[in-house]
Amino acid sequence: MREPKLREIDHRAFLRRLNPIVEVYAAAMRPPRDQLPGRHTIMQRHAAYPGFRAFVAERRGALPGLNGPVRGFIYGFHGGAGQWWHDVVYQALAEKGGPEHAAAWMDDAFEVAELHVHPEHQGQGLGRALLNALCEGRSERTAVLSTLNSPPDSPARNLYRSVGMVDLLTDFEFPGGGPRYAVMGGTLPLTPRH
C-alpha cells in the first residue's frame, strides 16, 4: 500500500470529496448512521465560511493525478459571530472567565472544525501532519477546537497538547445534548510543548 499523500484542497475539491470525507468521519467517530446526512450538510455549509482551508490524506495513485480514497482529512475556517459553534463557545468562555477571556481566545480565531483519520491509518502521525499543515501560515491569533472530553489522555487530546494547546473548557455539553467535550485552544503558530 502506498503512503497517503497530504493535499491542500479548495472548497470546490472539498465538496467533490464530501462523500468519502463523511465516510472517514463515520469510521473514526462511529455515530449512528442516521446522523450522517446532517453531518454532510454541516460540512457543506462550513466550506462556504470565510478563510476556509482543508487538507486530505489520499493514497497516491500509480499514475500522475490519479489518487485513491481519502485516508484522513482536516478543515477549518476563520471563526466569527453568527456561527453556531463560535457563539456557543464564546458565551461559555465569557461565563467562565469574563468577556476579556472570551475575546482573547475567540475574536481572531481559526476554528479547526474537523480532524479525522480512518482507524486503519491512525497512530502513524497522519493526524499531526494534517494539523500542522492546516495551521501553518494562518494569520489568526489563536486556533480553537472541540474534542471528546473522555478520556482526558486520549490520542486526540494528547496530540493537541503536544502542539501547545490547552484546555479552555472541560466536560462541556453543547446545546442539544450529546457527549461531553473539551474545548481547547492555542496561540498561533502552534509550537510543541517541552
Side-chain angles (χ1 to χ4, degrees), residues 50-51 77-79 108-111 137-143 187-189:
F77 42 80
H78 184 85
D108 186 25
F110 181 61
E111 295 181 11
R138 292 301 301 195
S139 63
E140 290 89 354
R141 186 175 65 245
T142 61
T187 303
L188 291 174

Side-chain angles (χ1 to χ4, degrees), residues 25-45:
Y25 168 86
M29 297 298 289
R30 298 191 319 251
R33 294 297 293 183
D34 64 350
Q35 291 181 6
L36 295 180
R39 179 56 48 187
H40 188 283
T41 300
I42 290 168
M43 291 182 182
Q44 188 174 27
R45 183 173 58 242

Side-chain angles (χ1 to χ4, degrees), residues 15-33:
L15 293 174
R16 283 195 304 272
R17 289 172 174 84
L18 200 45
N19 287 335
I21 282 172
V22 169
E23 287 304 315
V24 170
Y25 168 86
M29 297 298 289
R30 298 191 319 251
R33 294 297 293 183

Side-chain angles (χ1 to χ4, degrees), residues 90-192:
Y90 194 105
Q91 181 64 38
L93 289 174
E95 289 171 5
K96 178 182 178 188
E100 297 82 15
H101 175 68
W105 283 105
M106 302 297 289
D107 276 1
D108 186 25
F110 181 61
E111 295 181 11
V112 180
E114 301 284 351
L115 166 57
H116 299 287
V117 174
H118 193 283
E120 293 175 3
H121 299 278
Q122 292 176 0
Q124 302 169 20
L126 201 49
R128 177 180 304 279
L130 286 163
L131 180 62
N132 288 334
L134 183 74
C135 292
E136 185 178 344
R138 292 301 301 195
S139 63
E140 290 89 354
R141 186 175 65 245
T142 61
V144 291
L145 56 82
S146 55
T147 187
L148 291 174
N149 192 67
S150 278
D153 62 347
S154 69
R157 289 187 68 189
N158 286 336
L159 166 62
Y160 302 136
R161 285 187 191 106
S162 76
V163 296
M165 291 187 152
V166 296
D167 290 339
L168 303 177
L169 299 167
T170 55
D171 201 32
F172 182 71
E173 184 177 353
F174 283 95
R180 301 281 180 158
Y181 285 86
V183 175
M184 302 181 74
T187 303
L188 291 174
L190 296 177
T191 53

